[in-house]
């Protein structure tokens, strides 16, 4: 943006426009429906005239849609977004197995991958007995505070774990593991057992049991979990079902 | 693009850049993983230098990712794409009911909405007994050739049906309904029965039974279906399960 204001040559203008377009798309949050131009300007820090003009362009290409005078993300982004899951085969292969796991446990089943220091949920199947959890498809969560995150980290190269530790292990709930030494010990145990537990570390009242999806080299490409209310599920009892499903999925993918 | 070449003022440059960025994102197709700059240039009609520069910008903002020298869609697009489903509540509410329907029928369950003359699949749960179908989450299909499309059209305002008919009813398989009069008659029947059948109209060998999700005014907001191999499923026998699930979902959403 700074560059664009100093210099109108095509390539630096491109960079500024790309930054503004990306900011507009990233301005939407879960639960938002349509946002007005003023709100988008406030969230992106862009002038209202820019928001107005750029949103017109995005609307032309289906990336935004008009809703009266407000704007919302275009369904075309959903279509493109589905193609962005490079583990599309993973999601498709996992789906029936996850549905079985949900059916067998009546709780909420997750499939997630690691992106930097966070997990991204590729699939969430809510169970009839599960409490409302913060996880949602496409949502992110700090890896160290989740069962799926710890399951993946336990079967990841050292550099990956180091990156997470260097992020400082932010406290998400009062039970989040914030000590690097403690996290490393727990990862070693998970590596031994093939199963990761999360005990109210992401949100008080919720527990989960997770297991990694491993490639032929034994590295985690993803993890699955079953999560539920601390008062209603026994994670140790669900562990064999989660582990079995993860092993079956790992085998199927190879 | 034409404008940008004639005129370098900021706003028309914006339009050109937005068009190019949208073209780059739309260049990816199902089954693509990473694409090289040359391939992207070929698909978008942009010069390789532009593709190279713009893809750098998109990569900075997480909308594309590097894979060696090639490029793929960024996982951030998956996250944004999930927020683009304005019927997020519909998808979340439908999920357990669709899982039950898959469990009960062992075939593939769909949830779709209408976008212009096409349906977009918001959810696909593949059943263990189902053949490989062309449907995929985020995928599109001509509405008139699908059970979900016909179920939605039967409960849509006349203008919506007229738009589909004016599109010319392209033949997708040799069983696709291509006669406007025949389609109108079938929609009237679907309106009476609350259930739509599709008999190898989208692909030979596959049949399906669908039912609309209706709002309080009785208009379709979506539809669900169960699809399977023509030799293995009896759509008439599955119809009550599909219809019951659609009614339950319609009621829950109101």
């Amino acid at each position: 943006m700074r560059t664009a204001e100093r210099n109108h040559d095509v390539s630096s203008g491109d960079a500024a426009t790309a930054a503004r377009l990306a900011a507009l798309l990233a301005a939407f949050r879960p639960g938002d429906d349509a946002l007005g131009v003023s709100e988008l300007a406030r969230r992106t820090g862009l002038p209202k005239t820019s928001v107005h003009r750029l949103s017109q362009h995005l609307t032309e290409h289906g990336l935004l849609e008009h809703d009266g005078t407000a704007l919302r993300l275009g369904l075309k982004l959903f279509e493109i977004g589905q193609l962005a899951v490079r583990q599309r085969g993973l999601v498709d292969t996992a789906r029936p197995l996850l549905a079985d796991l949900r059916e067998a446990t009546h709780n909420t089943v997750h499939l997630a991958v690691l992106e930097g220091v966070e997990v991204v949920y590729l699939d969430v199947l809510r169970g009839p007995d599960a409490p409302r959890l913060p996880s949602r498809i496409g949502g992110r969560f700090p890896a160290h505070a989740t069962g799926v995150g710890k399951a993946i980290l336990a079967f990841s190269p050292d550099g990956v774990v180091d990156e997470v530790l260097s992020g400082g292990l932010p406290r998400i709930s009062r039970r989040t593991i914030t000590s690097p030494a403690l996290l490393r010990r727990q990862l070693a145990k998970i590596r031994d057992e093939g199963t990761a537990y999360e005990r109210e570390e992401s949100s008080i009242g919720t527990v989960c049991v997770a297991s990694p999806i491993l490639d032929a080299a034994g590295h985690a490409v993803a993890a699955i979990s079953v999560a539920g209310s601390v008062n209603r599920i026994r994670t140790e009892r669900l562990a064999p079902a989660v582990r079995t499903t993860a092993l079956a999925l790992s085998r199927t993918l190879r």
Side-chain angles (χ1 to χ4, degrees), chain A residues 63-108:
Chain A
L63 301 181
L64 291 180
E65 290 173 5
H66 284 294
D67 183 0
T69 59
L71 293 150
R72 58 183 174 210
L73 294 167
L75 201 55
K76 188 169 188 77
L77 279 166
F78 173 67
E79 302 174 48
I80 295 173
Q82 286 297 319
L83 301 180
V85 183
R86 44 182 183 285
Q87 300 93 340
R88 187 72 256 171
L90 166 65
V91 178
D92 288 344
T93 308
R95 190 54 89 77
L97 293 167
L98 298 181
D100 291 344
L101 193 56
R102 170 192 169 275
E103 184 68 22
T105 64
H106 290 98
N107 275 283
T108 295

Side-chain angles (χ1 to χ4, degrees), chain A residues 1-21:
Chain A
M1 212 176 345
R2 297 172 309 284
T3 316
E5 276 148 24
R6 278 202 304 272
N7 181 345
H8 283 188
D9 87 84
V10 172
S11 51
S12 59
D14 274 359
T17 304
R20 289 167 170 187
L21 294 174

Side-chain angles (χ1 to χ4, degrees), chain A residues 208-254:
Chain A
C208 107
V209 51
S211 202
I213 312 302
L214 303 176
D215 65 16
H219 290 132
V221 294
I224 61 170
S225 72
V226 172
S229 165
V230 65
N231 298 319
R232 300 192 62 175
I233 71 168
R234 290 269 312 278
T235 46
E236 289 77 4
R237 268 182 43 195
L238 297 179
V242 173
R243 180 95 181 104
T244 305
T245 303
L247 288 170
L249 188 49
S250 302
R251 187 168 24 79
T252 308
L253 288 167
R254 264 170 230 157

Side-chain angles (χ1 to χ4, degrees), chain A residues 12 16 18 26 49 56 70 77 83 118 146 151-152 155 180 190 206 212-213 230 234 249:
Chain A
S12 59
T49 50
Q56 297 280 16
L77 279 166
L83 301 180
E118 296 178 309
T146 66
I152 295 172
F155 293 87
I190 294 165
T206 308
I213 312 302
V230 65
R234 290 269 312 278
L249 188 49

Side-chain angles (χ1 to χ4, degrees), chain A residues 23-243:
Chain A
L24 277 177
L25 297 182
F28 290 81
R29 297 179 202 139
D32 285 340
D33 190 12
L35 298 176
V37 168
S38 303
E39 178 62 16
L40 282 168
R42 198 183 65 71
R43 293 191 184 184
T44 55
L46 295 172
K48 276 205 257 185
T49 50
S50 295
V51 170
H52 185 74
R53 192 180 63 241
L54 289 170
S55 63
Q56 297 280 16
H57 303 329
L58 290 172
T59 305
E60 268 169 48
H61 302 289
L63 301 181
L64 291 180
E65 290 173 5
H66 284 294
D67 183 0
T69 59
L71 293 150
R72 58 183 174 210
L73 294 167
L75 201 55
K76 188 169 188 77
L77 279 166
F78 173 67
E79 302 174 48
I80 295 173
Q82 286 297 319
L83 301 180
V85 183
R86 44 182 183 285
Q87 300 93 340
R88 187 72 256 171
L90 166 65
V91 178
D92 288 344
T93 308
R95 190 54 89 77
L97 293 167
L98 298 181
D100 291 344
L101 193 56
R102 170 192 169 275
E103 184 68 22
T105 64
H106 290 98
N107 275 283
T108 295
V109 176
H110 298 111
L111 172 70
V113 291
L114 187 70
E115 268 261 304
V117 302
E118 296 178 309
V119 289
V120 176
Y121 293 98
L122 298 184
D123 214 352
V124 180
L125 280 74
R126 296 199 190 287
D129 293 351
R132 191 76 197 163
L133 303 176
S135 51
R136 59 181 176 77
I137 299 176
R140 284 174 176 267
F141 216 85
H144 70 287
T146 66
V148 281
K150 293 191 293 182
I152 295 172
L153 288 173
F155 293 87
S156 292
D158 291 345
V160 174
V161 177
D162 294 344
E163 191 190 340
V164 169
L165 292 174
S166 71
L169 305 181
R171 185 182 302 278
I172 309 300
S173 83
R174 59 184 157 79
R175 296 261 167 102
T176 307
I177 299 175
T178 56
S179 148
L182 188 58
L183 185 62
R184 281 199 194 274
R185 276 202 302 279
Q186 204 173 93
L187 294 181
K189 188 157 179 267
I190 294 165
R191 207 150 35 233
D192 279 352
E193 297 177 354
T195 309
Y197 294 97
E198 184 246 300
R199 306 189 189 285
E200 305 187 275
E201 296 153 42
S202 60
S203 99
I204 296 299
T206 308
V207 292
C208 107
V209 51
S211 202
I213 312 302
L214 303 176
D215 65 16
H219 290 132
V221 294
I224 61 170
S225 72
V226 172
S229 165
V230 65
N231 298 319
R232 300 192 62 175
I233 71 168
R234 290 269 312 278
T235 46
E236 289 77 4
R237 268 182 43 195
L238 297 179
V242 173
R243 180 95 181 104

